[in-house]
Amino acid sequence: MSELTYLEAISDALRLEMRTDPSVVLMGEDVAGFGGAFKVTSGFLNEFGEDRVIDTPISEEAIVGTAVGMGISGLRPVCEFQFADFVACGFDQLVNVAGKLHYRLGLAAPITIRLPTGGGFAGGPFHSQNPEAWLMHAPGIKVVAPSSPADAKGLLTSAIRDPNPVVFCEHKHLYRRTKGPVEEESYATPFTARRVRQGDDLAIFTYGAMVEAATEAVESLEGASIEILDLRSLVPLDVDAIVETAGRCSKVLIVDEANGTCAAGAQVASLIAEHCFEQLDGPIRRIAAPDVPIPFSPPLEAAVLPGVERIREAARDLLDY
Amino acid sequence: MSELTYLEAISDALRLEMRTDPSVVLMGEDVAGFGGAFKVTSGFLNEFGEDRVIDTPISEEAIVGTAVGMGISGLRPVCEFQFADFVACGFDQLVNVAGKLHYRLGLAAPITIRLPTGGGFAGGPFHSQNPEAWLMHAPGIKVVAPSSPADAKGLLTSAIRDPNPVVFCEHKHLYRRTKGPVEEESYATPFTARRVRQGDDLAIFTYGAMVEAATEAVESLEGASIEILDLRSLVPLDVDAIVETAGRCSKVLIVDEANGTCAAGAQVASLIAEHCFEQLDGPIRRIAAPDVPIPFSPPLEAAVLPGVERIREAARDLLDY
Amino acid sequence: MGLGANNVDADARPGGSELLTSNDRVALLRYLLLMRAVEGKGLALYKQGKVPGSFYDGRGQEAISVGATFALGPGDPVCPLIRDMGAHLVKGTSVEAIFGQYLGRAEGVSGGREGNIHFGERRLGVLGMVSMLPDMMVVATGLAMGFKLRGEERCAVSFFGDGATSVGDWHEAMNWAGVYRLPVIFILENNGWAYSTPTNKQYAVPPLERARGYGVEARSVDGNDVEAVFEATHDARLAALRGDGPTLIECRTMRMHGHGAHDDMSYVPTELVEEWSSRDPIDRYSKRLRRDLELDVDSLRTEISETVAEAAEAALAMPMPDPEEATSGVFCEDQSGATLGLGEAPWSGFSASEVQQAAA
Amino acid sequence: MGLGANNVDADARPGGSELLTSNDRVALLRYLLLMRAVEGKGLALYKQGKVPGSFYDGRGQEAISVGATFALGPGDPVCPLIRDMGAHLVKGTSVEAIFGQYLGRAEGVSGGREGNIHFGERRLGVLGMVSMLPDMMVVATGLAMGFKLRGEERCAVSFFGDGATSVGDWHEAMNWAGVYRLPVIFILENNGWAYSTPTNKQYAVPPLERARGYGVEARSVDGNDVEAVFEATHDARLAALRGDGPTLIECRTMRMHGHGAHDDMSYVPTELVEEWSSRDPIDRYSKRLRRDLELDVDSLRTEISETVAEAAEAALAMPMPDPEEATSGVFCEDQSGATLGLGEAPWSGFSASEVQQAAA
Ligand SMILES: Cc1ncc(C[n+]2csc(CCOP(=O)(O)OP(=O)(O)O)c2C)c(N)n1
Ligand SMILES: Cc1ncc(C[n+]2csc(CCOP(=O)(O)OP(=O)(O)O)c2C)c(N)n1
Ligand SMILES: [Mg+2]
Ligand SMILES: [Mg+2]
């Protein structure tokens, strides 16, 4: 075990997969010499050479589309987008070419798209988005979103090995702030939910940076038995774990950092409302960003992004319900 | 009143707005000489001339992006996409430029994007999609989806007059199959839900082509008092009407033609689960397409798209609950 | 008029490609006739209401997909579009399975998942197209990138139309192919129209003139001359395999049917259609082979139309797909069963000639 | 090295633009100095931790946005990017409001909604950029389409970098502008790098050579010579207003800071930086105006740095935005209050000269 930051854990997964599987190649804007906008692939060019660590033109459609072609030809490309926000620029190739490929043609596209997501550092409307729900609504694309260094490593390893397009949402705000123990060897974490905290009175469902916020929020709620389920994988969604947890706890709070309408949380809420009706002892509460672009200035951003305080209040309300 | 098809009603709205407001211009691939892939703008070139009915290159990003520029410069462009599926090709300009414009810069982008949506005629994976949830998850874009000729006309009129980007989802399967009375004059329908059928035992929430399916489904359910709410406008969503109806009827069925995960229906379910907990007498049931590309062959397509039979069964189950 | 630049000097080329044997030539004509017969029969079935959805064909453009694909090695994948049935045929896709595809049957190429010409037999190295134009150019570029990085002597081919050149993906593919000097061949079928839109509304300057601005070699050929297309592709392929990078080949042609079966193309001036009728690629090549090889084209035609009729009958007897199958396979479980084949095409132009010579 | 093509012959042009009066020249230098002072002060505040988020500037490229915008009429909108503070200044955006913007204050240009240079004072005809490159080229093309259709004598201007040329939207904008022959000017700031990526990894052939493939006139100027940029833009504007269609102007330059304040640009060879230091656009223009107009540049510089210091102080005293405001205005309720202004720029190149002549 070593103590790694979330960012180091991502690098570690990439490095180990590249060492063991020569078909893994990295590509993206400034990933080679510069080591990526966030320095995730720093040093990779030296170790793996420019055939495997590839600086690309600014062409998100082409990054995804050529990755599909490279994947079909026997490679396992891992693509970095500089910010998750640019997924809109490669959207067509992702949803129409990559996502539908296996269903239509029986061909595998073993590609991973790394999206640095999320806000919390005054990134403004174009550097703070959480686009995972768009991809959840696009058949054929797996979507994962780790909250801890250990999961970041294990889920990225699984993503790279997966024969399908996997979008890996890595939360920028966790990159250097979040540290944790990570096994030194390579390991693959399954695309299932993870129980972060056990409890019986209330279940909180969340993922990404909101896991930390939720954990902090409930720590001060003395006497309450609160469970936190880190969804980790959004596609596939761990419906069994969600239904079991919601049914057992009877009260449910769902937290998304993304804009609320049609977000991942909406899907989780609808599943619980359909499958746990008889067990529920209160309304299904959701917390998410309102439907606005994420503003830049810290007080505005703080007003928009869900945080510890809002989660704590909602949890308290539900416990009192 | 005249009896118009859904398609004729759309043409009628366009024509009347163009006659009264010289700043309304149409653009899209083959909309001028050919009158549009579905002939919605047939005859428009003759009446309005080529400065106002504009054939464009095949460039969805540019269709949206130039429409924004034209909108800012004082025009009201109405853009046709040949199929809603191509929205993925113009996605970035739509969500990042058009959607965020007013919030960021205080500038209005009075543009309408017409998307021929939906399946039911062996269109296959690329001519059958219902992408409205992607746009619901993108702040700053209004989304409407009429189910009848009268609403098609009124909502399109409102869309054109709206100072914001409005995505107008016109369901291809209704184009020529659905006829109804339409007022001859111009009128603007508000972006609110519409009660299609009144009832107390069960509420069905749906929109677009599924309104007809739901109506047909419940007609044979004797003795049951079933309400159908046609959402019509997905952004803004008529939360008051949804909550009122769900609360009053106590049982809820939500029907989407789109792929289920994170669909419009998920959002509606989550709203009801949050706001109507005390009034609900049963689980919130959802019907939607499974998360697969829409297959071509009729038996496969029929297995995937929600239809009368599935709706009827679910309604019966809920009534019996 | 979208066709100002398309001056095709019919039958100007004298001897045709020196690379082709007589057998090759007969095979080329056979594929041309087969494509026309398959699509003709498909259209007839469509008009009888037996083909669901819509119907698209490549009438008048047969020489392009046939000639180009004929020049490829078995390991060179192709990404055909809606006018390119010839690519499927040359690569060896079964005619029965194609009719099954049209009819949405379980034994159609895509098992009923995809419609009309949106299919691809992956075992044969054919990638089925998506509707979004010209996305497959980008995918072909990625295939070529894979070949280059893996040190494989293969090239990838993508077809596209004049209209598709306006889309951003066209630019990203061209730029990418040029920057990495990839073994990819882009085949532009310039038929002067994109649906109803003539090229002068699509671009101010022909795409051929743009190609060099990307470091992509470019040449223009008579797209209704199958050997010209063959030869240009053959050359481009050798350049690609030598490491000389990408080529764009403009094939000047005319779409002799509407955009789809629903389109009567009344927007096209009749004289233009008449002019191009006289340059029909099949008539021209039939005439040539009658003259040069004394080929009995009529009996070839009859033979093919019988094959096609039988295949269509067989397909009509295929079952519809099982609705239970509608939702399986969105995700790949086992990658080993989902790879691109290395192709089994009996014909592949120059390489085929060599094979034949060796076998002779 | 991404800069092979960028041979700037420093100070080669003798007299500068004949269109400019002495007053114009002083104004140009003032804007150059102002841009550098504003960004320098902004960077200092950033390093003190007072500016949230990230920080980008246009050091070394000031002559481009200043020179180009100076050539426009008040009614010609601009779409500046992250290196183009000069466009905001020339159009008349208040320096205080710019510091308020940097600092995320309520009275910053965007009221704290947007960060660093992502802003635009719509009343002045400045459209704030989105991050997605080069989306604003498409929007500018749409503005020009609007002007053409409405019969207005205006043109639109969009800036973009060498890296942005690889994106599909670049192609769609260029193609569209060419097809409709629109009054739009595309200003390429070719600084040889896109973040850390040199141009030889971005394109195989320089974008300048691509422009004519779209029917877009193209020329290349020394981007560190403010009058050369002015003059090229002026000509392009007249062509646009005459109905002669779009122009692409390549301005050869060098980004003298990292991509953002976090980037030490260690990937750029020191000699290259040194070489370009000697071509600094402000030093060069200062020298020229000292010589030709006997201008006291030092006191101008002092005056400007005082203005800037005061503006920064004033901005530091501005309140932060009210969190209650965070969710308002996603949709426009009243279009009449949300239109693009016709501009109030006191300077606008040639027209300004005319105004001055009239006033004199
Ligand atoms: C991105 C995109 N937008 C719109 C369409 C709808 N569409 C299908 S074919 C076509 C015309 C294509 O013209 P061209 O590329 O010249 O090919 P051709 O039909 O002439 O072979 C259009 C606009 C599409 N397929 N893709
Ligand atoms: C579509 C898109 N992809 C990625 C980025 C991230 N990004 C921001 S600036 C930049 C480099 C831009 O280079 P260039 O266009 O040459 O402008 P310069 O910074 O040199 O002025 C990149 C890759 C972006 N802004 N837009
Ligand atoms: Mg064409
Ligand atoms: Mg640059």
Side-chain angles (χ1 to χ4, degrees):
Chain A
M1 284 285 178
S2 45
E3 194 76 5
L4 297 184
T5 62
Y6 184 89
L7 187 146
E8 288 163 345
I10 293 171
S11 305
D12 198 35
L14 288 172
R15 196 179 295 109
L16 294 182
E17 283 308 286
M18 289 190 76
R19 284 185 187 156
T20 48
D21 182 351
S23 68
V24 177
V25 297
L26 303 188
M27 57 191 218
E29 296 146 18
D30 307 293
V31 296
F34 196 67
F38 294 98
K39 299 287 184 190
V40 171
T41 54
S42 200
F44 278 57
L45 177 63
N46 270 350
E47 179 171 353
F48 301 105
E50 62 181 17
D51 274 2
R52 296 185 66 200
V53 189
I54 304 166
D55 274 338
T56 69
I58 307 178
S59 298
E60 279 74 13
E61 272 286 282
I63 290 173
V64 178
T66 60
V68 170
M70 291 162 75
I72 294 172
S73 83
L75 299 174
R76 305 186 90 79
V78 182
C79 307
E80 175 177 298
F81 274 35
Q82 289 200 343
F83 286 89
D85 309 64
F86 299 122
V87 78
C89 306
F91 202 67
D92 171 43
Q93 287 281 348
L94 194 49
V95 305
N96 285 318
V97 177
K100 299 184 172 74
L101 192 72
H102 189 263
Y103 184 81
R104 296 171 53 241
L105 308 176
L107 271 167
I111 68 174
T112 303
I113 312 285
R114 293 179 37 235
L115 298 185
T117 57
F121 49 90
F126 302 108
H127 286 12
S128 308
Q129 296 178 62
N130 290 284
E132 52 275 2
W134 282 337
L135 305 166
M136 295 173 70
H137 192 59
I141 300 170
K142 296 190 180 180
V143 184
V144 297
S147 69
S148 73
D151 280 353
K153 176 167 174 179
L155 291 173
L156 183 52
T157 304
S158 299
I160 296 173
R161 295 180 190 170
D162 200 286
N164 294 285
V166 183
V167 169
F168 184 82
C169 297
E170 43 191 72
H171 200 292
K172 299 186 293 293
H173 206 37
L174 302 177
Y175 270 159
R176 295 189 160 82
R177 277 174 53 245
T178 302
K179 275 199 151 192
V182 178
E183 274 180 45
E184 262 148 53
E185 294 78 63
S186 176
Y187 58 92
T189 300
F191 289 173
T192 53
R194 176 173 68 94
R195 189 184 290 161
V196 175
R197 196 177 193 279
Q198 193 150 4
D200 294 309
D201 299 341
L202 167 67
I204 302 185
F205 299 89
T206 186
Y207 63 93
M210 291 295 112
V211 173
E212 262 187 27
T215 306
E216 190 183 332
V218 301
E219 259 155 23
S220 61
L221 291 174
E222 309 265 308
S225 170
I226 300 179
E227 177 142 332
I228 298 179
L229 195 75
D230 178 356
L231 300 170
R232 282 201 313 202
S233 171
L234 300 173
V235 179
L237 196 57
D238 193 342
V239 180
D240 291 346
I242 292 169
V243 168
E244 188 280 324
T245 305
R248 181 164 40 74
C249 297
S250 303
K251 288 180 178 173
V252 167
L253 173 61
I254 301 168
V255 187
D256 252 302
E257 185 180 310
N259 297 120
T261 293
C262 293
Q267 180 63 18
V268 173
S270 85
L271 284 170
I272 295 173
E274 180 144 11
H275 297 295
C276 308
F277 173 68
E278 313 224 330
Q279 294 97 312
L280 285 183
D281 280 341
I284 299 173
R285 281 288 303 271
R286 286 185 60 201
I287 295 181
D291 294 328
V292 305
I294 307 304
F296 160 77
S297 185
L300 297 180
E301 186 181 27
V304 160
L305 293 184
V308 174
E309 223 19 79
R310 268 172 78 196
I311 299 173
R312 189 182 289 134
E313 257 172 57
R316 207 180 272 127
D317 284 358
L318 274 172
L319 289 168
D320 293 347
Y321 187 88
Chain B
M1 285 283 178
S2 45
E3 193 77 2
L4 297 185
T5 63
Y6 184 88
L7 189 146
E8 288 163 345
I10 294 170
S11 306
D12 197 36
L14 288 173
R15 195 178 298 108
L16 294 182
E17 283 308 288
M18 290 190 76
R19 284 185 186 157
T20 48
D21 181 351
S23 68
V24 177
V25 297
L26 303 188
M27 56 191 217
E29 295 146 17
D30 307 292
V31 296
F34 196 67
F38 293 97
K39 300 286 184 189
V40 171
T41 54
S42 201
F44 279 57
L45 177 62
N46 270 351
E47 179 169 354
F48 301 105
E50 61 181 18
D51 274 2
R52 294 186 66 199
V53 189
I54 304 167
D55 274 339
T56 69
I58 307 179
S59 299
E60 278 75 10
E61 272 284 282
I63 290 173
V64 178
T66 58
V68 170
M70 291 161 74
I72 294 172
S73 83
L75 299 174
R76 305 186 90 79
V78 181
C79 307
E80 175 177 297
F81 274 34
Q82 287 199 344
F83 286 89
D85 309 64
F86 299 123
V87 78
C89 306
F91 202 66
D92 170 43
Q93 287 281 349
L94 194 48
V95 304
N96 285 318
V97 177
K100 299 182 172 72
L101 193 71
H102 190 262
Y103 183 79
R104 296 170 54 240
L105 308 176
L107 271 167
I111 68 174
T112 302
I113 312 286
R114 292 180 36 234
L115 298 184
T117 58
F121 49 91
F126 303 108
H127 287 11
S128 307
Q129 298 178 61
N130 289 285
E132 51 276 1
W134 283 337
L135 305 166
M136 294 172 71
H137 192 59
I141 300 170
K142 296 190 179 179
V143 184
V144 298
S147 69
S148 72
D151 279 353
K153 176 167 175 180
L155 291 173
L156 183 52
T157 304
S158 298
I160 297 172
R161 295 179 189 172
D162 200 286
N164 295 285
V166 183
V167 169
F168 185 82
C169 298
E170 41 191 74
H171 200 291
K172 299 186 293 290
H173 205 37
L174 303 178
Y175 269 158
R176 295 189 161 81
R177 277 175 52 245
T178 302
K179 276 201 151 192
V182 177
E183 274 181 45
E184 263 149 53
E185 294 79 62
S186 176
Y187 58 94
T189 300
F191 289 174
T192 54
R194 176 173 68 94
R195 190 184 288 162
V196 175
R197 196 177 193 280
Q198 193 151 4
D200 295 309
D201 298 342
L202 167 68
I204 302 183
F205 298 89
T206 187
Y207 61 95
M210 291 297 111
V211 172
E212 263 187 24
T215 307
E216 190 182 334
V218 302
E219 261 157 21
S220 61
L221 291 175
E222 308 265 307
S225 168
I226 300 180
E227 177 141 334
I228 297 179
L229 195 75
D230 178 357
L231 299 170
R232 282 201 312 200
S233 171
L234 300 173
V235 178
L237 196 57
D238 193 341
V239 180
D240 291 345
I242 292 170
V243 169
E244 187 279 324
T245 305
R248 180 164 41 74
C249 297
S250 304
K251 289 181 178 173
V252 168
L253 174 62
I254 302 168
V255 187
D256 252 303
E257 184 180 310
N259 297 122
T261 293
C262 293
Q267 179 62 19
V268 173
S270 86
L271 284 170
I272 295 172
E274 181 146 8
H275 298 294
C276 308
F277 172 69
E278 313 224 329
Q279 294 97 314
L280 285 184
D281 280 341
I284 299 173
R285 281 287 304 272
R286 286 186 59 203
I287 294 180
D291 294 329
V292 305
I294 307 305
F296 161 77
S297 185
L300 297 179
E301 187 182 28
V304 159
L305 294 184
V308 173
E309 223 18 80
R310 271 172 77 196
I311 299 172
R312 189 182 290 133
E313 257 172 56
R316 208 180 272 127
D317 284 359
L318 273 172
L319 290 167
D320 292 347
Y321 187 87
Chain C
M1 215 75 348
L3 283 163
N6 278 2
N7 290 316
V8 178
D9 32 10
D11 295 308
R13 302 177 67 256
S17 172
E18 288 182 10
L19 300 163
L20 295 167
T21 63
S22 302
N23 282 352
D24 288 337
R25 294 200 152 92
V26 177
L28 279 173
L29 181 61
R30 182 184 291 274
Y31 285 122
L32 292 173
L33 290 166
L34 187 57
M35 172 165 169
R36 186 158 297 176
V38 165
E39 294 193 332
K41 181 72 188 171
L43 184 56
L45 291 169
Y46 179 77
K47 287 188 174 157
Q48 290 163 32
K50 291 186 178 142
V51 171
S54 45
F55 191 86
Y56 304 93
D57 67 26
R59 186 172 181 106
Q61 305 186 199
E62 293 90 347
I64 300 170
S65 56
V66 167
T69 312
F70 202 80
L72 302 180
D76 301 332
V78 281
C79 304
L81 293 191
I82 50 177
R83 316 284 173 218
D84 305 320
M85 181 61 87
H88 297 276
L89 296 171
V90 173
K91 282 286 186 187
T93 307
S94 121
V95 176
E96 258 182 57
I98 292 171
F99 281 106
Q101 166 75 18
Y102 279 150
L103 297 162
R105 303 302 161 111
E107 292 149 35
V109 185
S110 72
R113 291 183 167 197
E114 268 289 9
N116 47 72
I117 189 128
H118 284 244
F119 64 89
E121 185 63 275
R122 64 175 175 76
R123 291 170 204 81
L124 304 175
V126 187
L127 248 86
M129 63 177 281
V130 301
S131 281
M132 290 70 200
L133 296 171
D135 286 10
M136 300 312 293
M137 274 178 75
V138 182
V139 178
T141 303
L143 286 167
M145 185 113 173
F147 301 155
K148 181 165 181 172
L149 292 173
R150 290 162 57 92
E152 295 179 340
E153 277 226 333
R154 301 165 70 183
C155 72
V157 173
S158 176
F159 296 86
F160 64 100
D162 45 288
T165 61
S166 301
V167 186
D169 282 60
W170 186 86
H171 174 72
E172 296 197 7
M174 292 288 286
N175 186 53
W176 193 288
V179 166
Y180 299 105
R181 288 183 72 74
L182 297 178
V184 60
I185 305 173
F186 299 127
I187 299 189
L188 163 56
E189 301 183 66
N190 197 337
N191 58 16
W193 301 87
Y195 215 142
S196 74
T197 305
T199 51
N200 66 343
K201 287 188 173 184
Q202 198 69 244
Y203 43 70
V205 178
L208 187 71
E209 297 183 33
R210 291 181 182 165
R212 290 202 184 84
Y214 295 96
V216 174
E217 273 307 309
R219 56 186 289 193
S220 181
V221 299
D222 177 351
N224 286 18
D225 177 345
V226 69
E227 296 197 12
V229 175
F230 164 81
E231 208 165 51
T233 312
H234 173 75
D235 292 350
R237 175 172 182 260
L238 291 188
L241 300 187
R242 267 197 314 272
D244 287 351
T247 303
L248 181 149
I249 302 170
E250 178 188 53
C251 301
R252 302 179 308 268
T253 187
M254 174 69 190
R255 192 193 74 205
M256 298 300 285
H257 274 170
H259 171 64
H262 59 281
D263 169 16
D264 64 6
M265 57 190 245
S266 52
Y267 46 83
V268 178
T270 357
E271 316 84 74
L272 194 66
V273 178
E274 279 162 15
E275 193 186 323
W276 280 92
S277 294
S278 69
R279 302 182 196 159
D280 183 80
I282 298 186
D283 290 350
R284 282 166 64 187
Y285 203 52
S286 299
K287 205 168 113 194
R288 179 185 264 179
L289 296 201
R290 268 199 202 96
R291 183 191 65 197
D292 295 355
L293 306 181
E294 293 175 28
L295 184 71
D296 181 354
V297 176
D298 294 329
S299 54
L300 188 60
R301 213 182 274 270
T302 312
E303 179 204 318
I304 285 170
S305 85
E306 279 164 15
T307 316
V308 164
E310 279 164 29
E313 280 313 308
L316 283 162
M318 290 174 182
M320 291 306 272
D322 179 357
E324 297 284 315
E325 290 295 308
T327 56
S328 67
V330 175
F331 290 109
C332 175
E333 306 293 337
D334 175 11
Q335 195 175 333
S336 66
T339 54
L340 195 70
L342 279 175
E344 304 165 5
W347 293 103
S348 53
F350 189 53
S351 13
S353 317
E354 285 174 322
V355 171
Q356 284 181 295
Q357 278 157 14
Chain D
M1 214 77 345
L3 283 163
N6 275 3
N7 292 316
V8 177
D9 32 12
D11 296 308
R13 303 175 68 258
S17 170
E18 289 181 10
L19 301 164
L20 296 166
T21 64
S22 302
N23 281 353
D24 288 336
R25 295 199 151 95
V26 177
L28 279 173
L29 181 62
R30 182 185 291 276
Y31 285 121
L32 292 173
L33 290 166
L34 187 58
M35 171 166 169
R36 186 158 296 176
V38 164
E39 295 194 331
K41 181 73 188 173
L43 185 55
L45 291 170
Y46 180 76
K47 289 188 172 156
Q48 291 164 31
K50 290 184 177 143
V51 172
S54 45
F55 191 86
Y56 304 93
D57 67 26
R59 188 173 179 105
Q61 304 185 201
E62 293 89 346
I64 301 171
S65 56
V66 167
T69 312
F70 202 80
L72 303 179
D76 300 333
V78 282
C79 305
L81 292 191
I82 50 176
R83 316 284 173 217
D84 306 320
M85 182 61 88
H88 297 277
L89 296 172
V90 173
K91 281 288 187 186
T93 308
S94 123
V95 176
E96 259 182 54
I98 291 171
F99 281 106
Q101 166 76 17
Y102 279 150
L103 297 163
R105 303 303 161 109
E107 292 149 35
V109 185
S110 72
R113 291 184 166 195
E114 268 289 10
N116 45 75
I117 190 128
H118 285 244
F119 64 89
E121 185 64 275
R122 64 174 176 77
R123 289 171 206 82
L124 304 175
V126 188
L127 248 82
M129 62 177 281
V130 301
S131 280
M132 290 70 201
L133 296 171
D135 285 10
M136 301 311 293
M137 273 178 74
V138 182
V139 178
T141 303
L143 286 167
M145 185 115 172
F147 301 155
K148 182 165 179 172
L149 292 173
R150 290 161 58 92
E152 296 178 338
E153 278 226 332
R154 300 164 73 184
C155 71
V157 174
S158 176
F159 296 87
F160 65 102
D162 45 288
T165 61
S166 301
V167 186
D169 282 59
W170 187 85
H171 174 72
E172 296 196 9
M174 291 287 287
N175 186 53
W176 193 288
V179 167
Y180 298 104
R181 288 183 74 71
L182 297 178
V184 60
I185 305 174
F186 299 127
I187 298 189
L188 163 57
E189 302 184 64
N190 196 338
N191 57 18
W193 301 86
Y195 215 142
S196 74
T197 304
T199 50
N200 65 343
K201 288 189 172 184
Q202 197 72 242
Y203 42 70
V205 178
L208 187 70
E209 296 184 31
R210 292 182 181 164
R212 289 202 186 83
Y214 294 96
V216 174
E217 272 308 308
R219 57 186 287 195
S220 182
V221 299
D222 176 353
N224 285 18
D225 177 344
V226 68
E227 295 196 13
V229 176
F230 164 81
E231 207 165 52
T233 311
H234 172 75
D235 291 351
R237 175 172 183 260
L238 290 189
L241 301 188
R242 268 198 313 270
D244 287 350
T247 303
L248 181 149
I249 302 170
E250 177 188 51
C251 302
R252 302 181 308 270
T253 188
M254 174 69 189
R255 189 193 75 203
M256 297 301 284
H257 274 169
H259 172 63
H262 61 280
D263 170 15
D264 65 7
M265 59 188 244
S266 53
Y267 47 83
V268 179
T270 358
E271 317 83 74
L272 193 66
V273 178
E274 280 161 15
E275 193 188 322
W276 279 94
S277 293
S278 70
R279 301 183 196 158
D280 182 80
I282 298 187
D283 291 350
R284 282 166 65 188
Y285 204 54
S286 298
K287 207 169 110 192
R288 180 185 262 177
L289 297 202
R290 268 198 201 98
R291 185 191 64 199
D292 295 354
L293 306 180
E294 294 175 27
L295 184 70
D296 181 355
V297 176
D298 294 328
S299 54
L300 187 60
R301 210 183 274 272
T302 313
E303 179 205 318
I304 284 170
S305 85
E306 278 165 15
T307 316
V308 164
E310 278 165 30
E313 280 313 307
L316 282 162
M318 290 174 181
M320 291 306 274
D322 179 356
E324 297 284 316
E325 290 295 309
T327 54
S328 66
V330 174
F331 290 108
C332 175
E333 306 294 335
D334 174 11
Q335 196 176 332
S336 65
T339 53
L340 195 70
L342 278 175
E344 302 165 6
W347 293 100
S348 52
F350 187 56
S351 12
S353 318
E354 286 175 321
V355 171
Q356 281 181 300
Q357 279 158 13

